Amino acid sequence: MSSISTRRRQRLPTLFEVLNRRTLTPVDLFAFYVFMRDQHRSVDYLDFWLDVAQHMSLCRHYVRQLRRSVLVATPDLEKDSSKHSSQVLEAFKLQQHSEIANGLEQESKRVSMILRSESSASGSKVAAKRNSALISPERLKRNSQVENVKEQDDDDEPTVDSPLAQVNSSTVTRAHIRESAYRIMVTYLVAGAECELVLPLPIIRGITTAIEVDGRDDPEVFDEAKDYVFQAMEREAFPAFLSNKALGNLVPAGALLRLIIGLFSLFAAFWVAFILIFLDWKPKSTRLWLILPFSIGIYGCLSYQYDLDPLIVFAGYSELNFMKFMHIDEPYVKSLLIRRAIWVMSLVVVLVIGLCVLFGLVPGKRL
């Protein structure tokens, strides 16, 4: 992603930008995956979306290799076959850099159409030469950010690998695409699946029929389910993610720890303050030491209230997991967090001064 476009974005990112890796920490795909896994508890939906996107990449790669094969094979074929092959390539040429969601959808349709066209012509000489001329690519991998998320899991948490990462062959063939589509279906869509998603029954039936009955494996098969999952995440999970990462910098466990420390400090501060008053402790300036427990207590309670630790924000960090931090790189989010941190620190200062003045000016009375 261009750093220039990031600096120009004076707003919070959209879910589309996050999923397509156009944002920086703490609102990037890495942080969103961790949030969906640890806080929202619906990472299966994000896994499905990423697996379908990976299936699209697999199909796109296969079609690129198919195109190269046709370009090599067509000079030796008959004129009619050459003309047919050229028409197929022109009709389904891929877009290399889609900038908007409609562009990605059109690309998915192009890839789906060329796969269906290639499948229907599998008995021709062109198809035979295409399959024999495939170039061996590197082993397919899921997006490196998500792999890093899984590698950084705690030792006591099982690692959930993508089914698409289990392609062991060094050559991508049509069989791999079929296997990829089938694995997505059995992992997320069939009843009793390992990561079964709650989707409308017509969508599930449409996908299973297309794969099992019609024999389809093109990415357009999953378009309706992918759109449904995207809208569900955009409506339910993504607002909570932005609230947690763009308006705060603490995870629930970190905020709870600060609340416990804050309440304990406030209890100690009030306890000591009343002792000094009712024992009429001399000198009266001893009460100035109350500023320490009051500061810690109010700071901890306000950090919990706003899900934001101002000192950590000023240091330029946000909490990814409990006591695990990441640098704040998204410019607009950083400026937003700094403004909120200044507000929280102002509240801390005002409340601490008010309590210290109150308990410092109260006359002592020995009981």
Side-chain angles (χ1 to χ4, degrees), residues 344-355:
V344 172
M345 285 300 295
S346 301
L347 286 180
V348 172
V349 171
V350 169
L351 291 176
V352 168
I353 291 177
L355 287 173

Side-chain angles (χ1 to χ4, degrees), residues 209-263:
T209 300
I211 295 176
E212 294 183 332
V213 178
D214 301 336
R216 292 179 57 185
D217 53 19
D218 53 276
E220 197 173 2
V221 170
F222 301 103
D223 278 354
E224 192 174 0
K226 186 179 179 183
D227 291 342
Y228 182 91
V229 168
F230 181 90
Q231 293 171 11
M233 291 191 297
E234 189 176 40
R235 183 176 59 253
E236 300 174 8
F238 192 65
F241 170 71
L242 288 181
S243 176
N244 184 262
K245 298 300 180 183
L247 301 180
N249 69 332
L250 297 176
V251 298
L256 182 61
L257 175 63
R258 285 160 178 80
L259 176 64
I260 294 173
I261 295 175
L263 292 177

Side-chain angles (χ1 to χ4, degrees), residues 81-147:
S81 298
S82 177
K83 182 178 179 181
H84 172 73
S85 301
S86 299
Q87 291 174 346
V88 170
L89 292 175
E90 288 298 327
F92 307 115
K93 185 173 66 175
L94 299 175
Q95 296 178 350
Q96 295 182 356
H97 298 286
S98 298
E99 295 296 332
I100 57 175
N102 290 335
L104 292 177
E105 183 178 354
Q106 291 301 321
E107 183 180 16
S108 175
K109 290 181 179 179
R110 290 187 178 95
V111 173
S112 299
M113 291 173 66
I114 197 171
L115 287 175
R116 292 197 295 269
S117 175
E118 188 269 341
S119 180
S120 63
S122 60
S124 66
K125 295 181 180 180
V126 176
K129 290 196 174 184
R130 288 173 185 169
N131 291 332
S132 63
L134 288 175
I135 299 175
S136 299
E138 297 177 356
R139 180 170 297 180
L140 296 174
K141 298 180 181 178
R142 172 180 282 193
N143 175 274
S144 58
Q145 290 177 305
V146 177
E147 291 298 327

Side-chain angles (χ1 to χ4, degrees), residues 158-176:
T159 300
V160 180
D161 294 325
S162 167
L164 301 178
Q166 300 175 8
V167 176
N168 296 319
S169 175
S170 60
T171 300
V172 178
T173 64
R174 190 60 184 265
H176 289 140

